[in-house]
Amino acid sequence: MRVSYNWLKEYVDIRLAPEKLAELLTMSGLTVESLQPLGADHIFEIEVTSNRPDWLSVIGIAREVAAICGSRLKLPAIVPVRSQDAKGGARIIVDDRKLCPRYTGRVIRNVKIGESPHWLKAKLEAMGLRPVNNAVDITNFCLFETGEPMHVFDLDKVAGGTIIVRRAKKGEKIFTIDGVERALDDPALVIADREKPIAIAGVMGGADTEVTASTKNILLEAAYFDPVSVRRTSRKLGISTESSYRFERKVDLDSIASSSDRATALIAELCGGAAGELFDVGEKARPEKTAHLRYERLNSLLGLHIEPPKAAAILRSLGLETKGSSRDAITAKIPSFRYDLDAETDLIEEISRIYGYDRIPQTIPVVVEQPIRVPSSIVIGDKIRDILAGFGLDEIMTYSLLGRRSLEAAGVGTGDAVEIKNPLSNEQEVMRQTLIPGMLNAVRWNINRKNKDLKLFELGKVYIKRHDGGFNEHISLSIGLAGQASAGWLEGARQESFFDVKGIAESLLAELGISDVSFRPAQSPFLSAGAAASLESEGKTIGILGQVKASVLSEFDIKEKVYVLELSADELFSRARLEKTFSEIPRYPSVVRDISLIADAAAHNEDLLSAVRAAGSPLLKEAQLIDRYIGSQIPDGKVSLTYRIEYQDPTRTLEDKDITPVHARILQELERRFGAKLR
Amino acid sequence: MKELIQRLEQEALREIRAAAGGEMLEAARTKYLGRKGLLTEAFKKIGEASAEERPALGSLINEVKGRLGAALDERTRAASGGEEKAEKIDITLPGAPFRRGRIHPITKTVRDISDCFVSLGFMVVEGPEIETEHYNFEALNIPLEHPSRDAFDTFYLNSRSGTQLLRSHTSPVQARFMEKHKPPFAIIVPGRVFRPDATDATHSFMFHQVEGLVVGDRVTFADLKGVLAIFARQMFGVQTRMRFRPSFFPFTEPSAEVDISCFACARQKHLEGRRCSICGGKGWLEILGAGMVNPKVFKGVGYDPEKVTGFAFGMGVERIAMLKYGISDIRLFCENDIRFLRQF
C-alpha cells in the first residue's frame, strides 16, 4: 500500500519527520518497505498484512498514526446527499444475496465528464495511478481514501437501466476496461444489465458501460462482495486489481453508504449534475461485536505489567469503544472496519502492538526435562555425514522434485513416483524415489565445469507411491565417485574403482557398528551387469552399488566412469550400534602366517575366505587378502592370492607346533574345495 | 694383562674421538667390540691369567666394553646428525594429501541452529514432507481461500486418497506433535519445505525451515524474546541486537517479525556513506517470524488455552546461511559445484 505523507497529514496531525514516522509505523506493524521523496511529498510503501484490510486506505493509516502518536484524527465531513431527482431512473436486482450481501447504486444525471482538477490528479499520481476522467478519478480517490472500491457506469449504456447482480452464465463473455475479452463461467459474480454482464463484480468493469467524455448520466456503485468469490474469480481470470485486492480482504460493509455519499458529494462538486436517491439493497450493518479482556491475562501472556487505564486508553485510541469496565476486566465494542478483532487475544495483540514490543522484557522460560533431545535418525544421520566427510567425500543436496526425464534417463522409470499436480516447470514433475539421478546430475554439473575427481554423497528423503495409493517417505544415502581416487606426487595417481565405493561402504558400516553384511552380485537398471553388487544384511537387501552403465552415463552426457552407491539410511539407523563395550586386550601375542595360493580366476574371494576361516577355527583370529595377482608369472585362467592369517589363543602363547597343523588343514581344505595349490 | 686392557681402552677412546664420521666409528666398533675385535680377543685370553685375577679381569673387560659402547653410540648419534644435513630433503614439497570432505552449508546451518536450541533444553522433532490440507492449513488457523494463504502457495500431489500436498512450511509438525504429547515441552523442527515459486537469486521452490514451539502453563511473550535473544547472539555474535515488529500469522497472536542488527554494517565501519550490500542500508535483517500460539490452534489439538500458553517461531535456513556466509544466490545450494561446497 502506497501512502502519501501529505495526504495523510490532511487527516491527522503529524509533528514527525517522515523518517521518524516510518520507524514508528514499522514498529507498530505497518512495515514501511521504502520511503521515497516525491516533489514536496514523501511516499511510504507499506506492507499490509492480510488481516488488516482497514489499512488499505489513507484514513485507515491515519487512524493508526493517531493511535501511535496520540494525536487527533480529522476525518472529512460526510454530508448525507440530498436527493434532487427522486425519480432515479434505474432498477437494482440482487439475485445472489450470499455473494453480494449489500449493493448500493445512485443515479447522477447531467454530469460533465472531463479532466480532473490538478489536486485530484496529483493525489492519484502520488498513489501511482493514471488519471482517467473526473468521475472515474473520484471513485479511485475514494478507494484510496476510504478503502471502499466503487464503480461508475454510463447509465445510458446499461440496457433497460437495470442492474442485476448475479452469477455468470456458461459461455458469457465480457470486454473489460483493459480491452481484453474474458470468458466467464458459473461461480463468477457479475453485474449485468438486461442483456449481458457489464462488470465482473469487485474485479473490473466492462468497456461497454465505461464512463467517457460523452457520458451524460452515471450510476455509482458501492457494494460488499463476498471475499472468497472475488478471490476465486480474480485468480481464475488472473487479474488482481486495487478493487479485487480490497474485496478479497473484506471491505467495511457498514460504511458503504457513507463512502457512496462521499463520492457523490465529490461528483456533485467536480462533475455537476443531480444526484438521485441511494438504492440500498441487502444488509445495512453487521451485528455489533464486543470482546472481553482480562488484565491478568494480558499481563501474564506478555510477561509484563501494563496498568489497566493504559490498556483501556490504547483500545480507545484505535477506535474501540470501551463499555463495561471493572478492576479486573474490560469489554470493548469492535468498530465495523475491524473484522480481525474477535477474541481476547486480538485485544491483547492490539495493546501490545501499540504499547511497544520493545518494552516487553526478556526472560528465560523454565526449562523442561526432556530425556531424548535428538532422535536417533538425526544423531546417526549426522554421524554418517561426519564419517563420509572424514573419508574425503563432499556432501551435496539435490532437489526432491525432478523431471520425469531424469528418472527415465537413470533407467528407474516413474511408475512408483509421486506426481506433482501443479508443477511450475518440467523439472518438478515428480518426486524422486532414488537419489541416483540427482547424484548423476551433480556429477555432470561438475565435470562440465572441469571440476575433476569427485567424491560426493547425499543423505536425503526419497518418496514412494504405495500400491494402495498412499505415499511413503524414506531416508536414503547415495555416494558418487568419478575421476582419480588418489593423486599427488608421493604415490602417483589411481582412478576410482568399484572397490573404492565398496571400501567406503565397508568402512562406513564398520564405523556404525554394523557387522552382519555381505555383498552379492546384483542387477540394477543403472549399473553395469558385471560390476554391480547388492548389500545384504539379515536377509534383506539394504543397498546397491557398482559402476554406472554406459547407456545411463550417455543419457546424462557424462564421459567418465562413475561409481555409485545407494543405501537405505533408515536400515542403517535401525542397525547402527554406536555404544561401545570394551573387550580385554589379549595377553599373549598372536602369530601371523601368510599363505600364497594359485586358484581359478573365477573363484570368489569371499568363498575362499570363509573356507579359510572355517578350517582355521578356533585358533584363527583374522584372515584377509593382502595380495592378488593375474599375469605372466602364473598360468592363464588362474589367479595368485595371498592371505594373511593371524592365529591367537587367549590363554597362552602359540608355538609352531600348534599352528602348523591348522595351517596345513586350511591348505588342504582350499585344495579340496577350490583346487587351490600352494604357490 | 690389566695394563694391556687399560691401554687398549685409552687407544680406543682416542680413536673414537678422532673418528671423522659414521664409517670410521663403525670400523672402530668392529675393531674393538666386534666378534673378532680386540676386546673379545682379550676376553679369550683371560684363561691365561691366574685364577685369582680372572674375575676382576672379566669385570674390567665388561666395564670397558660398556664405556666404549656408550662412547661409540654417542659419537654415532652426533655424526649421523651431520649426515642428515648432507642428505637434505626439500621440505617445501607438499605433504601427503589428507583431504576431508565438507558438510553442506545447509546441513551446517541446521546443525548450528539445532545445537543452540538443544543446549537450551529443546528437543528436536521431525515430521512428514507429504502432508494433508488439515495439518498444513486448517490446524494452523489458515482458512481455505483466504488471502492469508497467499503466502503459502502449495504443490499438490496426484493422489487417490484425499488431498495430499507438499508442506509449505514446517508448522504442520506443531499440530502433529501437540496431538500426541502433553505440555510442558520445548521442541524445534528442522525440515524441508516446498512452494511453487519461480526460481531466482532469492527464491527457490524447495528450501529449509526450522520451527520452534514451547508450551507450558505460564510461557510468556517475554520468554519468547529471551530465548530468541540468546539464539541471535549465539548465531550472529554477541554484539547482535534484536527488534520485534508486530506482524500477522494465522497461527500466532500476538505475532512478530524479528530483525537482527546488521552484522555486516557493524563490521565494515569503512562504508562511508555507501549502502551496506547485506541490509541495503536499513541496518536491520529480517531473520524469523514468531508469536504466541493462537488459542484456536490449541483448541484444535485439544489443549485448553486457559491452562496453557506457548510461543512459536520459524526461520528460513537458506536465508540464515546466505546472511551468515555472504552467499548471494540461493540456487548455489543445489547446484553442488564443488568449488562452492568446498568453501564450508
Side-chain angles (χ1 to χ4, degrees), chain A residues 231-232 346 363 389 421 463, chain B residues 101 129 145 150 156 223 253:
Chain A
R231 180 178 161 83
R232 273 192 202 152
D346 302 324
T363 54
K421 197 186 265 176
Y463 315 81
Chain B
E129 291 170 20
E145 310 212 49
D150 286 352
Y156 287 86
D223 291 337
E253 187 167 23

Side-chain angles (χ1 to χ4, degrees), chain A residues 100-173:
Chain A
C100 178
R102 187 176 189 183
Y103 192 95
T104 71
R106 174 177 273 136
V107 173
I108 306 164
R109 294 197 175 273
N110 296 317
V111 289
K112 273 207 173 62
I113 302 302
E115 208 176 316
S116 294
H118 176 73
W119 68 265
L120 178 54
K121 287 202 283 187
K123 279 213 162 62
L124 295 185
E125 277 160 0
M127 300 300 283
L129 216 66
R130 189 176 48 84
V132 180
N133 58 45
N134 47 11
V136 171
D137 292 351
I138 287 167
T139 58
N140 284 329
F141 170 85
C142 290
L143 174 143
F144 289 127
E145 186 188 68
T146 65
E148 167 69 36
M150 281 176 270
H151 186 68
V152 278
F153 296 98
D154 184 331
L155 183 61
D156 299 317
K157 291 179 184 153
V158 176
T162 304
I163 293 287
I164 304 164
V165 186
R166 61 164 169 84
R167 287 179 187 225
K169 295 170 189 156
K170 237 190 160 57
E172 274 187 327
K173 283 180 180 162

Side-chain angles (χ1 to χ4, degrees), chain B residues 33 40 43 84 86 106 116 155 203 211 214 220 223 231 239 248 259 277 300 309:
Chain B
L33 303 177
T40 320
F43 206 85
E84 263 179 15
I106 292 299
C116 173
F155 280 116
H203 296 87
E211 181 90 5
V214 176
T220 67
D223 291 337
F231 164 72
Q239 310 299 328
F248 169 70
D259 300 337
S277 61
T309 56

